[in-house]
Amino acid sequence: QVQLVESGGGLVQAGGSLRLSCAASGVTFSRYTVAWFRQAPGKEREFVAVIMWTGTITAYADSVKGRFTISRDNAKNTVYFEMNSLKSEDTALYYCAASYQRISREATVYDYWGQGTQVTVSS
């Protein structure tokens, strides 16, 4: 059974940093694309970043480009999400999601989802 577990969320002041992790089990992790999505209260879920299963290709939403970095360690079955220069508009529930050898910004492509980790940025 595939499980994705996010961690690392919390409360941080604007301009601060957080590092999220997404730990996978039950899959051959090195064959899965992993993406981060977020959903703020009253808003639709939106794509934030994605990393291909080899780690050689990444993509980011324009709103986070240059501030956030996605990376992975396949030996540890974990994807990391370094978030710097956080803004109040980054406040949301952050989800990681996995897809078998498909890379996309569309949530419908992803078969497996974690429960989410809350990020709150105070201004």
Side-chain angles (χ1 to χ4, degrees), residues 61-115:
D62 288 344
S63 59
V64 307
K65 202 174 293 183
R67 300 188 296 123
F68 293 6
T69 304
I70 190 170
S71 62
R72 67 190 296 159
D73 185 340
N74 285 342
K76 295 183 178 180
N77 282 8
T78 301
V79 166
Y80 302 101
F81 199 40
E82 188 76 33
M83 304 188 297
N84 298 315
S85 302
L86 284 161
K87 305 175 181 180
S88 57
E89 51 262 45
D90 295 318
T91 295
L93 189 59
Y94 283 72
Y95 298 91
C96 67
S99 174
Y100 181 73
Q101 295 192 332
R102 295 178 66 186
I103 186 166
S104 174
R105 296 171 181 246
E106 298 297 324
T108 54
V109 166
Y110 295 87
D111 302 308
Y112 305 105
W113 292 79
Q115 293 300 306

